[in-house]
Amino acid sequence: MAQEQEEKLFLPRFITTDENFAPGHRACIGCGEALAVRHVCKALGNNVIIVNATGCIEIFSSLLPLTSWRVPWIHTLFENVGAVVSGIESAYKARIRKGKIEDRGVVFVGFAGDGGTSDIGLQALSGAMERGHNFLYCCFDNEAYMNTGIQRSSSTPYGAWTTTAPVGKKSIVGQMTWKKNMPEIAVAHRIPYVATASPSFPFDLMDKVKRGMEIEGPAYLHIFSVCPTGWRCPPEITVEIGRLVVETGIFPLYEVINGEYHLSVDFPELKPVREYLKKQGRFRHLTEKDIERIQARVEEEYQRLKEKVGGK
Amino acid sequence: MTKRRIVGLEGSFAIAEAVRMANVDVISAYPITPQTHIVERLAEMIADGELDAEFICVESEHSAMSACVGASAAGARVFTCSASQGLELMHEVLYIPSSMRLPIVAVAANRALSAPLSVWCDHSDVMAIRDIGWIQIFAENNQQAFDLTVCAYRIAEDKEVLFPAMVHMDGFYLSHVTEGVMLPDEEEVAQFIPDYEYPFVLDPDNPVSMGCYGPPFIYPEAKKAQEVDFEKTKPKIQEVWNEFGDTFGRSYSPVEEYQMEDASIALLTMGSSGETAMLAADEMRAEGREVGLVRLRLWRPFPFKEFREAVKDVELLVVLDRALSFGMGGPVCSEVKSALYEKRKELNIVGFIGGLGGRDIPIDGFKYMVNRAVERVKAAEWGEEMGPEMIGVRE
Amino acid sequence: MGKEKIGWKELEIGCVVTEPGSAASYKTGEWRSERPVRDNTKCIKCGICYIYCPDACIREDEEGYFEADLYYCKGCGVCAHECPRGVITMVEEEEEAKEEKEK
Ligand SMILES: Cc1ncc(C[n+]2csc(CCOP(=O)(O)OP(=O)(O)O)c2C)c(N)n1
Ligand code: SF4
Ligand code: SF4
Ligand code: SF4
Ligand SMILES: [Mg+2]
């Protein structure tokens, strides 16, 4: 159903043909993170400055002496995107006030992976959100440290195999903890805009980027980014996986605008999580019992989210 | 014509005055003793409208330096300051502006490192950041702290330099002690450090990529370019200090000599202990001994030429380290030895470690070092190791 | 571009890259082992293939059909998998095509 919805809405001729994230980048074949970056950049336009954390995106886009970026872009370290973007925003603010430059409404944007966001970069991001800088932060969540070789992060889902949460003779589940709910952490900062998105729903994603840009103050966008290499799935199903994760309720698409929850797509009935899990090698080892556990947890979380939506 | 005035200021306030007169755009800092008075004073200046700048009250030193990097890349003049654990926490970030060539100016109120926790002065924090690629300058009193901070902006932002610069001042000895400081006229300072244009700013009208990924086929070239340019800053630094002298009447040099004419023994210090060492040299001169003092002002890039010149005639060099490189001795002493190895085979160098964690080194401490060094050199067999000695430590 | 031969004096200060999007000169098409082949008679010109290509290499032609630029296409097969009309099939790169790429 969702696909049909998207198809009807499909008006690619209404979106820019500009590719500010240029082709010739070195992401793996079928990389969902690269696709997500492409969509985000289409929505961002030209009047932006991007701050990128260390991780796959930085590596596949900036191998010296070349760059994939057609907008101003800076990478410094892994865990400091929130702080660097704060510095840039403050520099513009001060220089505009002091009459050194004109105010041309430049948008300041942070890019980081799930590791760079929900683990090592959480403190810097929290600081930036708390201080209320005017910026949009995009977390590209491929559910592990992919750049360093598929190590687990706090964003890795329960049951997933990774190189540091392997499936062994004794430990047979892989990741033993539940995925950290990073969007809720952003919501807890009472910032004006928090949303989730998936590039399999590109128009929804681009709308959210635009809303995040327009809103005054911090905006947080959590983007599901399929990684065929790390998830052990064939590259051609990248978009399908990014759709299934939403249709199963595992990664619901929603917005929290000034504290009010809105579901972006709802389904009368969720697809069973099995359909999603079975397509990926990282979940291959899961038993029926494990899958049931995941199913129960997903339903519970989804219910909780719907209550928040209803509660408003 | 100009409105120069002498004001009683603690070192921290002298720094804040320099930053205010530099009319910085962005300040980003995190509090740590003994640096706190600098940030408090700056926050006050902003609150009172004496300084028009954004103050980013970050949640850590790592973020403090990161925000400076961002602000500097966006074309702002920036300032931060820290000490000890704070410098250690920002350590990773310190390499970024020197490699990406962002002219950030920072002040370190030098303090010991934990454990045990100590808020007092030594140079352990300085030594941990020797290799970050920043211009590093030592102040010995509050006047110098002011002057050298003003100069640091002019040096760092020079088109032929574009490196970050850090002014070191000893925690408490300078940061919390009030001395008379000659403050120049604000206009004069504004002229001395005019607005600067960074060649590449983050600007949508002219998109550049900064901080790209460097695989083995290009990384060594990047580092070679950085090192060659860093070496080239030395004459520029001297030039700025000379010009400062012409304008304000106080000039500085990378290595400063005291009582060195015909000296056969030289003490070597960095930072505030230089002032006590001067008194010690005076006393020993009065006793008829040929003792002089060499103070290293420019720590990085290391002033090889000036340093060798300063000690070319001495027979014994006595080096004080306010830090300890465990298992190696005094870091300054090691560096000095390596700086002289090729040129001065006949020179004896004896190192001492003292003043750790805020322990005072009195005048007698310097006399002890000189006497003890002479004794050790006399008693030593050829080839015997001249390992470092810790002074003033109870048995 | 001779990028392997860049000397240290040729680097911009701080290794800043001043040519926006210069990576577009890099031929990712060489990675491909399968290529998308179209039967445009079935195409409804919806552009789904265009919007889902992770490598931004599908472009619209004058007639409104979408074509992959093989200079960049890595052959992931996303376009073929997502096309609602089965226009695109992935076929193994032939030996001659491989040789052609080499040039
Ligand atoms: C301080 C520090 N610790 C570790 C690393 C090594 N490292 C670089 S990228 C990365 C993982 C990135 O993971 P994520 O943020 O999820 O981005 P992804 O590569 O998955 O897109 C790690 C661990 C580093 N660069 N810096
Ligand atoms: S490892 Fe995953 S996220 Fe990284 S480039 Fe490859 S497919 Fe993309
Ligand atoms: S997705 Fe299929 S039908 Fe739609 S434009 Fe592409 S090739 Fe044609
Ligand atoms: S195969 Fe992949 S890279 Fe090639 S055109 Fe299709 S979607 Fe793009
Ligand atoms: Mg990741």
Side-chain angles (χ1 to χ4, degrees), chain A residues 261-297:
Chain A
Y261 284 75
H262 307 271
L263 265 186
S264 311
V265 270
D266 196 6
F267 306 94
E269 214 173 314
L270 296 177
K271 286 188 177 168
V273 297
R274 180 177 288 100
E275 279 188 37
Y276 169 79
L277 301 173
K278 284 293 176 196
K279 287 194 183 278
Q280 302 168 54
R282 63 174 172 157
F283 295 117
R284 197 179 46 203
H285 54 281
L286 293 185
T287 62
E288 276 308 305
K289 238 178 110 183
D290 294 328
I291 294 175
E292 277 165 31
R293 261 183 101 178
I294 295 170
Q295 183 69 54
R297 170 88 176 196

Side-chain angles (χ1 to χ4, degrees), chain A residues 64 67 79 92 97-98 104, chain B residues 52 54 92 202 205 209:
Chain A
L64 278 169
T67 179
E79 68 276 42
Y92 266 77
R97 192 173 62 227
K98 292 167 109 170
R104 282 169 296 138
Chain B
D52 187 4
E54 286 292 309
E92 180 197 25
L202 292 168
D205 283 347
S209 296

Side-chain angles (χ1 to χ4, degrees), chain B residues 218-238:
Chain B
I218 207 156
Y219 188 89
E221 280 70 24
K223 291 297 125 178
K224 167 93 180 180
Q226 184 179 341
E227 173 64 3
V228 170
D229 284 357
F230 196 46
E231 278 294 318
K232 280 200 287 202
T233 63
K234 285 181 197 170
K236 206 70 220 182
I237 295 168
Q238 184 63 72

Side-chain angles (χ1 to χ4, degrees), chain B residues 339-372:
Chain B
L340 293 171
Y341 180 75
E342 287 154 32
K343 308 277 173 190
R344 289 290 316 271
K345 253 191 191 147
E346 73 284 13
L347 173 66
N348 285 300
I349 303 174
V350 182
F352 293 90
I353 290 155
L356 297 186
R359 180 71 59 87
D360 258 333
I361 308 171
I363 295 175
D364 282 348
F366 287 96
K367 289 187 182 170
Y368 169 83
M369 281 186 257
V370 169
N371 294 335
R372 179 78 184 121

